[in-house]
Amino acid sequence: MKNYMLSLTTAFCLLFLTHVSFAQDMSVEGLLDKAVALSQKGDDAGTAEALTKGTAALESEAKGSTGTLKDKLLSKAGDLKSLIPLASGGKLQSGILGKAVSAVKMLVGANRISSLLGKGESGLLGNASSLTSNLGLIKAGSSILGSDSQSKLGGLLGEATKAVGGLDKKGMAGKLAATASSKSLGSIVSLVGSAI
């Protein structure tokens, strides 16, 4: 019986640790997407929990960031925090949460790109996958923009995605890609910063 209880306790501890590390391993956008999904299912407690963790992760990322949109991210973290009591009480509409999360996704993506741009050529070279992922985040949230901004951003995202593809190349090809992509990436960061 003692061995059974011991193994049960061990199993529970492992399950708990897995759950904790799973939450810690999830990105800001992963946690916020989870909050939106749970909200759409009507899981108020789950929404509030995912939103709390997502907001904390967002604050942590923003405070440790060197990007130009750091202050905007902290402001959005404050906005998300104000939605947590509504989520807990079952009064948060999933549409409102979805829009807030879309804005955060765009800012997170743009801020991460801004951090890499701040390092100059060394921040861009070899970082094609990270930049592509962050461009994807911006695109995923762009549906909340007005049609003019959305159209302009779409064009810039297309340009940047093409240019970014060459950043993993060696030598002159990589340097040319860095020069070509830095302008469009900078424009994207500025557009997102002014639109949100």
Side-chain angles (χ1 to χ4, degrees), residues 40-145:
Q40 288 166 346
K41 285 180 185 170
D43 182 347
D44 300 330
T47 302
E49 185 188 357
L51 193 51
T52 302
K53 287 176 182 170
T55 303
L58 178 61
E59 278 183 330
S60 176
E61 180 171 327
K63 284 174 183 170
S65 159
T66 56
T68 55
L69 301 174
K70 176 178 182 172
D71 290 341
K72 288 207 173 209
L73 278 179
L74 287 169
S75 171
K76 286 291 172 194
D79 293 346
L80 287 178
K81 211 177 260 185
S82 69
L83 297 178
I84 295 168
L86 290 173
S88 298
K91 293 176 182 164
L92 178 60
Q93 296 171 351
S94 58
I96 289 170
L97 178 60
K99 279 185 180 173
V101 168
S102 288
V104 168
K105 276 185 182 176
M106 290 183 74
L107 282 171
V108 164
N111 191 61
R112 288 174 186 164
I113 289 170
S114 170
S115 294
L116 291 172
L117 282 171
K119 295 174 186 171
E121 197 177 85
S122 66
L124 300 177
L125 290 172
N127 276 322
S129 64
S130 173
L131 287 161
T132 302
S133 162
N134 287 313
L135 289 170
L137 262 186
I138 294 169
K139 188 174 184 179
S142 65
S143 59
I144 60 165
L145 297 177

Side-chain angles (χ1 to χ4, degrees), residues 175-190:
K175 288 179 185 292
L176 287 170
T179 305
S181 60
S182 64
K183 188 180 176 190
S184 52
L185 290 171
S187 299
I188 288 168
V189 172
S190 298

